[in-house]
Amino acid sequence: YQEVIDEDPDLIIIDLIRNHGSHTLLYRELKADQKLKNIPVIMLSTIDRKTCFHYLKCKRSASGGAMPEPEAFLKKPPEADELLKLIHSLTHTGECLEDTEEWV
């Protein structure tokens, strides 16, 4: 978390289902921080989008707090062209080119 504050990145890529959920906590902290909450996040996961968001919904319910929707989601391993397109889209226009789906 401190590294993100120190580096002030234009974009963050997080693998949420890694390190026993610690990246879920990192994502929650980033989106709760007034200085960092507007940095776009691409979520990566080895599981599909629907299952990943169900997992996040359960984590959100267990912690009692809301977790904002990410700017983008990609299943691992992402295609290089798709990842580059998302990065360009999120860092140059602030909008994702991918079709938006509601969180489960």
Side-chain angles (χ1 to χ4, degrees):
Y1 180 76
Q2 186 60 45
E3 290 175 20
V4 176
I5 294 171
D6 294 343
E7 295 294 324
D8 190 29
D10 293 328
L11 178 113
I12 299 169
I13 300 173
I14 296 177
D15 182 347
L16 286 182
I17 315 298
R18 188 174 165 155
N19 294 336
H20 307 290
S22 66
H23 290 157
T24 302
L25 178 61
L26 172 64
Y27 178 73
R28 181 183 307 282
E29 290 174 355
L30 291 172
K31 292 304 180 179
D33 187 291
Q34 291 301 313
K35 181 180 176 188
L36 305 174
K37 71 180 183 178
N38 293 321
I39 297 173
V41 174
I42 298 174
M43 292 184 181
L44 294 178
S45 179
T46 56
I47 59 177
D48 64 72
R49 180 186 181 106
K50 185 175 180 178
T51 303
C52 183
F53 290 164
H54 177 74
Y55 166 79
L56 290 174
K57 183 180 179 184
C58 291
K59 293 288 277 185
R60 176 178 63 213
S61 296
S63 68
M67 189 178 300
E69 185 174 338
E71 287 75 16
F73 174 88
L74 290 175
K75 188 169 179 188
K76 289 178 16 179
E79 293 292 326
D81 289 345
E82 183 179 19
L83 180 58
L84 290 172
K85 181 180 174 182
L86 275 174
I87 291 169
H88 179 78
S89 173
L90 291 168
T91 58
H92 287 85
T93 66
E95 298 177 5
C96 179
L97 296 178
E98 143 184 87
D99 290 339
T100 303
E101 293 182 26
E102 290 185 29
W103 267 36
V104 176

